[in-house]
Amino acid sequence: MQRTAPRWLKPATEYGPLALFFIAYSVEGLLPATAVLLAATALGLLLSLFFLRRVPMMPLVTAGVVGVFGGLTLWLQDETFIKMKPTIINAIFAAILLGGHAIRRYPLQLVLGTSLPMTETGWRQLTLRLGLFFAVLAGLNELVWRTQSTDVWVAFKVFGLIGLTVAFMMAQTPLILRHRPRESSREN
């Protein structure tokens, strides 16, 4: 039986680990911040399991990548792995979306279809745009971590990636509104 989640759960599990990572980095540095990120991500999964009796797919994939790359960072004492994590996550999402687009299957529609009704044309366009956006984010992360200081990369990871994602999603509002299904059956 699936439960209804408390309102705080989604933002806490999505942004809590990132906020704690940033705080720990500011105080202790990248390796301790990576340990905090691992612990906070695991706690987020446990909270989802406790409240929802399941773990949503996207947080599970993200936690897997955090576990592997964060674990390698700590085990090998090498910052490279945690810096590659956003690249890998964004590349996975890009591959899933663009691969789905290529075969005319829209993973976003499966995940968001009931809460965001759109025509098939809308899903096709949004899937392509988001797939390309995630590919650009993967490339940007590579560019930043390979050419900038760790301080710049952390600021980009915490604030830049979120800011770009929010701005991109807001820019998709006209597409989403334009491709909403007709309401004729609900008006009766």
Side-chain angles (χ1 to χ4, degrees):
M1 180 171 115
Q2 187 175 337
R3 293 183 184 177
T4 302
R7 296 178 112 178
W8 57 265
L9 183 64
K10 187 171 177 151
T13 58
E14 287 182 6
Y15 301 111
L18 192 58
L20 292 172
F21 170 83
F22 182 72
I23 292 166
Y25 174 77
S26 299
V27 174
E28 294 292 328
L30 190 59
L31 293 177
T34 300
V36 168
L37 179 65
L38 283 166
T41 301
L43 178 61
L45 291 179
L46 289 173
L47 286 170
S48 290
L49 190 58
F50 177 78
F51 285 106
L52 299 174
R53 300 278 189 235
R54 65 180 179 79
V55 178
M57 183 56 72
M58 284 183 61
L60 190 59
V61 169
T62 300
V65 176
V66 167
V68 169
F69 286 87
L72 286 170
T73 296
L74 295 176
W75 183 39
L76 300 173
Q77 298 290 296
D78 185 347
E79 298 177 351
T80 302
F81 296 103
I82 198 66
K83 290 178 178 178
M84 289 173 52
K85 180 194 69 78
T87 301
I88 301 301
I89 289 174
N90 286 313
I92 288 170
F93 290 155
I96 290 168
L97 293 172
L98 294 174
H101 186 271
I103 61 171
R104 296 184 185 267
R105 302 276 187 233
Y106 310 112
L108 285 176
Q109 187 175 13
L110 294 173
V111 176
L112 300 173
T114 57
S115 61
L116 185 64
M118 279 197 306
T119 64
E120 183 160 338
T121 301
W123 285 114
R124 184 178 66 246
Q125 291 176 2
L126 185 61
T127 298
L128 178 62
R129 289 178 182 187
L130 262 173
L132 294 172
F133 176 71
F134 281 125
V136 167
L137 287 184
L140 277 174
N141 186 69
E142 282 297 296
L143 179 69
V144 171
W145 86 261
R146 290 178 185 273
T147 64
Q148 303 300 311
S149 69
T150 298
D151 287 345
V152 170
W153 174 78
V154 168
F156 171 75
K157 174 187 171 25
V158 174
F159 302 109
L161 290 176
I162 290 175
L164 288 170
T165 302
V166 168
F168 176 82
M169 291 310 296
M170 288 175 64
Q172 302 317 301
T173 302
L175 172 96
I176 292 167
L177 293 175
R178 188 171 52 250
H179 291 285
R180 294 191 64 96
R182 301 262 183 233
E183 300 286 334
S184 59
S185 62
R186 292 184 188 171
E187 293 175 0
N188 293 335

